[in-house]
Amino acid sequence: MNTATAQIAPVTADNRLIRVLPLVGRVLIAAIFILSGLSKISDPAGTMAYIASVGLPLPALGLAGAVAVEVIGGALLISGYRLRSVAAALALFSLATAVFFHAQLGDQNQFIHFFKNVAMAGGLLQIVAFGKGRD
């Protein structure tokens, strides 16, 4: 018997679960981006006022960019298209959002949002590292 031959694992419920979990994880991570982007579309004036309130220039451009990154990036994350690049862009977006919009760590709400964004970036970096998971 050739010991270099790879063993093929039988298809079991555990294997099927392991195969579907990466997609489920991507859907769960993408949901926050898509919902956030849609909420920005529903209140553009409020979003632009918030962008301006933290001192960032060109709030209309910031709104358009954020909506594009969140909605399109979230959809691409679910689809798996260019997955590692999309996950990297969303991770950077999450970290930038944490720094620019949630950096008042003395405020407990801002503290929670800051580390939520950091945690999301961490999950996205796992996708960058491991891709779609097992085939």
Side-chain angles (χ1 to χ4, degrees):
M1 178 174 177
N2 184 352
T3 58
T5 303
Q7 297 295 320
I8 298 174
V11 175
T12 64
D14 287 344
N15 287 349
R16 286 190 297 266
L17 181 62
I18 287 171
R19 290 178 192 272
V20 75
L21 282 178
L23 173 61
V24 171
R26 292 195 323 267
V27 168
L28 294 175
I29 293 173
I32 196 165
F33 290 104
I34 294 170
L35 292 172
S36 181
L38 294 176
S39 74
K40 287 172 177 62
I41 292 170
S42 71
D43 183 18
T47 302
M48 287 188 290
Y50 186 47
I51 292 168
S53 76
V54 298
L56 291 176
L58 307 169
L61 184 60
L63 168 65
V67 168
V69 167
E70 291 176 335
V71 174
I72 296 169
L76 291 173
L77 190 68
I78 292 169
S79 76
Y81 180 76
R82 301 222 184 247
L83 183 61
R84 288 185 162 130
S85 297
V86 169
L90 289 170
L92 288 173
F93 179 82
S94 296
L95 292 173
T97 302
V99 169
F100 286 110
F101 295 98
H102 305 300
Q104 296 175 355
L105 300 180
D107 176 339
Q108 185 175 5
N109 187 44
Q110 292 296 314
F111 182 87
I112 291 167
H113 283 294
F114 182 90
F115 282 103
K116 172 217 24 141
N117 283 39
V118 170
M120 289 171 21
L124 289 160
L125 291 175
Q126 290 287 311
I127 294 170
V128 171
F130 299 109
K132 291 181 185 179
R134 294 185 176 180
D135 294 325

